[in-house]
Structure formats: structure tokens, C-alpha cells
Amino acid sequence: MKTARSVATSASLNPDTYIYKILPIGTAMGSISSDDSLRVIDPPTLELRGTIGGVHDGVTCLSGFRDRLGLTAGRDGLLKCVDLRTKNTAFELSEGLSIARFSARESRNLTKTLVEKKPAILSTACQEHLIASGAELTSSQAVITVWDARASKRSLLQYVESHSDDVTELCFHTSRPSILLSGSTDGLVNLYDTTVADEDDALIQVFNHGSSIAHAGFLSDHEVFALSHDEAFSIYESNRSDHVEAPIPACALGDLRPQLQCEYVVNLVSSESTGTVLGAGSHSLHQLDVVPLHRGSEWGLDTANTLCLPSAHGEEVVRSLCFSRDGNTIFTAGEDGLIKAWRSSEDPTGTMKAEDWGSADIKGKKQKHSDRDERARFKPY
């Protein structure tokens, strides 16, 4: 096992303010936190470039949308595209849902009114000109909405029947941008063809992971991973023919906690130089391990090449991690309100340059663990 050392630490946020997610966006780093702020960070120094306060009433999501544009979403049912350089909102979208409501008089007359309701948004994804959002279960519907950012603010399409619970994860295919992946607390991971408006016809494939989805995404053109809130991890092969339901996992690693001697898994991230890794944390040991995934005849955990981040964020949960462009620097953010930069102890430079910045996040939610149950700490609200 190799060991990393911390080479930079951001200024601390206000007490009891913790960071949900950090993400590379252009030459900057964006972060969202429990005080409903979007912060712009300088990656080499971790110094604050600016703060946009009250970006949402209950911010939940941050995605990258083109150069220097960040997409945020919240429990207020809004999506905002923010220019991280100017701190201005480029455009705003609303996750609307028409709900039938009956008054006592209307019930007698068998008439109804449609009330516009905005479900909380729990997941977002961006690809080229497409924007997708996934909503909390509201009035028996867990809605996935897709917009074309080049067109009007009206949505292109909505899928309302494919999930029976909160939509916790969304991800577009990197080489086939019309293919959208969704994950839900109903335990399903779905693939859709967003060029098809009819929901039944658009649904290409369903993977039944069997437990609530925390994270999911594409490992390759035809491989999908799923990580549940109880840390069960599997990899599925997406069938090239359409409408194949509930395939068995190509690789089922099961609960990762006993295998990695950890208490939670942050997520999977990737860079060209490091490949795919997962962050395995232990708040009781004050430690985060970065464990590579490798593929020989099948996928597995390369624990021999684990990189240990000692002390990590103390007893607080690590909520997010990402890489620099060269893969030599790892950034972590936690419930202690800090962002930290790490390099291997074998790296003689110990510093990071501006040109090193940039990373790929396979798909990138954990709440305060001290006073909530195990499932709740994974939700950023």
C-alpha cells in the first residue's frame, strides 16, 4: 500500500457547513455545500475565487456543462446554469409536474384542477446540448426530464413510469450522447434512447441491482456499474440488442465494506493516467483509501496498489473526490467543510501547477452521519 500526503487545504467553511461535491469545470473547481452556496475554487492553491450564495433553496446537484459553465439543481425544483467566471446565471429551467387536485366542491361535481408542482431535483446530467434531471418521488411519479439547451425552456421529453422511487443518478453515454442512464432508490438502473419520446419504446434495458442506487454510470461502451447505498457493487453488460430486461451481473463484488475494510464508499472516478478507482472511507480510522479497479479476464479490486490518504477528513465522511488532469493530484471534500489536495509520498514535486488541472468523473451523496441513519447520510438534503 502506498501513502499520500496532503499538499494543500482550503479555508474552512462556517461551523456545521459541509461540502456535498467538488467538480472540475474548465480551469476552475466548483463546489456545492450545505449552506446552499456554489463556490469557485482555484485548483492549484485551493483559494476561493468567489461565492454565489443562495444558489438554491436546498442545493442538491452540480454538473459540468461546457467550458466554465456549471449546472446546479435543488429541492426547489429549479436548475441553473451558472458561468463560473462571471458568477452570472446563464439560464434557468424548472422541473414542473402537473398534479391533479380536487376540492370538496370539485369532488362533488367530478371536476379537477391541475396544480403546477415542482418536485425536488436529486440528480442531473449534461452531454453536449442535452440536460437531464431526475426528481424525488412526488404524487407517485419519479420524473426524468430532458431539455435541449439550444431550444426553448420547454422540455424535450419526460419519462414518468420507469422508476417507482427517487431518481438518484443520471448519466449520458460518452460516445453515444442520446443514451441516458438512470438509477433509483427502487433498485433499478435503466438505459433510454432519448431520441424516442414514447417511454415504453425509449426504455432499452433494465438492470435490477436489488437495492437502492447511490451511484451508477458507464465503465465502457457496453459496461455499466451500480453501487448501492448499502455499498453493494456490480458491473453489468449492456446488451447490444434492444429491450433486454434484468440481465445478471457480469461481475458482482457484493458488499465492498468487508473486502476493503471500510465503512462507506464515496464513488468511482476516472482519469486517463490512473484508470478507474473508488474511494473507500473509514471515519472511525480517519482514513480514505483510493483503490484501483482492474480488468483481466474479469473486473476486480487491485488492493495491492491502494493509495492511503491518512487522516483524510478526520472523523467526518468524505463526500467527493476527483483527479487533476495528469492524475498525480487527488482532491477530496468532506463534511468538515474542507477541500484537500493529495499527492503520493513518492512524488518529489509536492506541488501542483495550473496546467495539471482537469479530470473525468465517472458519475459523481452523503449526509452528516452523526445523527442520521445509514441511508440518510448518503443524501445531500
Side-chain angles (χ1 to χ4, degrees):
M1 180 184 291
K2 299 178 181 179
T3 303
R5 69 189 188 284
S6 177
V7 296
T9 302
S10 68
S12 179
L13 303 182
N14 292 330
D16 298 322
T17 301
Y18 45 94
I19 298 172
Y20 294 137
K21 186 173 183 179
I22 53 175
L23 185 70
I25 302 174
T27 61
M29 176 191 291
S31 75
I32 53 172
S33 49
S34 60
D35 60 357
D36 288 338
S37 293
L38 169 63
R39 290 178 172 82
V40 185
I41 308 296
D42 179 61
T45 63
L46 296 186
E47 292 180 355
L48 183 66
R49 290 184 184 176
T51 301
I52 304 170
V55 65
H56 289 280
D57 182 8
V59 66
T60 55
C61 306
L62 174 65
S63 299
F65 182 63
R66 301 175 185 169
D67 186 40
R68 82 170 190 262
L69 295 178
L71 183 76
T72 62
R75 295 193 62 81
D76 52 11
L78 299 176
L79 296 96
K80 297 180 181 180
C81 185
V82 181
D83 189 321
L84 268 62
R85 186 179 65 181
T86 65
K87 317 300 187 298
N88 295 325
T89 299
F91 60 84
E92 184 175 303
L93 303 170
S94 177
E95 176 69 88
L97 178 64
S98 293
I99 305 296
R101 295 286 179 85
F102 294 84
S103 68
R105 177 178 298 176
E106 289 168 337
S107 297
R108 288 195 297 270
N109 297 329
L110 297 179
T111 61
K112 66 181 178 181
T113 59
L114 290 178
V115 178
E116 190 72 2
K117 191 170 184 178
K118 295 179 180 178
I121 299 174
L122 307 183
S123 53
T124 56
C126 305
Q127 175 74 0
E128 296 181 352
H129 57 275
L130 295 179
I131 294 173
S133 68
E136 184 178 56
L137 183 69
T138 304
S139 297
S140 302
Q141 291 185 330
V143 182
I144 297 171
T145 306
V146 179
W147 287 269
D148 186 337
R150 302 169 301 181
S152 66
K153 293 183 180 180
R154 295 187 62 182
S155 60
L156 281 177
L157 53 87
Q158 285 189 325
Y159 301 137
V160 300
E161 298 178 348
S162 297
H163 287 297
S164 60
D165 211 334
D166 301 348
V167 181
T168 54
E169 189 71 287
L170 290 172
C171 178
F172 282 104
H173 197 286
T174 54
S175 62
R176 294 183 289 164
S178 64
I179 303 301
L180 176 66
L181 174 150
S182 68
S184 168
T185 53
D186 63 9
L188 301 181
V189 176
N190 296 338
L191 298 182
Y192 311 86
D193 181 352
T194 59
T195 63
V196 180
D198 182 82
E199 186 167 355
D200 289 337
D201 294 334
L203 187 60
I204 298 172
Q205 198 161 10
V206 179
F207 308 98
N208 189 351
H209 192 57
S211 54
S212 174
I213 300 296
H215 298 294
F218 294 99
L219 280 177
S220 67
D221 276 354
H222 299 286
E223 291 173 305
V224 168
F225 79 87
L227 175 68
S228 66
H229 286 105
D230 57 5
E231 321 301 357
F233 181 76
S234 292
I235 298 171
Y236 301 86
E237 291 185 0
S238 58
N239 198 297
R240 300 174 194 226
S241 62
D242 291 348
H243 303 286
V244 177
E245 294 189 0
I248 62 173
C251 174
L253 296 181
D255 188 346
L256 295 177
R257 289 171 292 186
Q259 301 176 59
L260 299 177
Q261 298 181 348
C262 68
E263 295 168 13
Y264 62 93
V265 177
V266 182
N267 200 358
L268 275 72
V269 295
S270 178
S271 77
E272 291 183 1
S273 58
T274 63
T276 302
V277 303
L278 57 84
S282 173
H283 44 76
S284 62
L285 297 178
H286 301 186
Q287 180 174 305
L288 181 76
D289 291 335
V290 179
V291 184
L293 283 179
H294 72 90
R295 183 173 185 177
S297 57
E298 60 182 26
W299 285 97
L301 300 169
D302 186 8
T303 54
N305 286 308
T306 295
L307 180 66
C308 174
L309 280 54
S311 297
H313 290 256
E315 64 180 7
E316 302 292 348
V317 169
V318 177
R319 296 291 300 265
S320 184
L321 73 157
C322 60
F323 280 106
S324 62
R325 181 180 293 114
D326 64 359
N328 290 331
T329 305
I330 301 171
F331 296 88
T332 61
E335 293 184 355
D336 57 359
L338 296 176
I339 301 172
K340 294 185 177 183
W342 305 82
R343 280 185 178 254
S344 170
S345 298
E346 299 175 359
D347 183 352
T349 61
T351 58
M352 181 183 169
K353 300 177 182 178
E355 56 267 26
D356 296 336
W357 172 243
S359 74
D361 185 349
I362 289 185
K363 267 306 300 180
K365 290 169 183 101
K366 290 184 165 66
Q367 187 74 296
K368 277 282 187 182
H369 59 269
S370 57
D371 55 356
R372 292 171 173 82
D373 63 24
E374 283 297 298
R375 174 174 168 178
R377 70 180 179 85
F378 285 91
K379 292 188 176 183
Y381 47 84

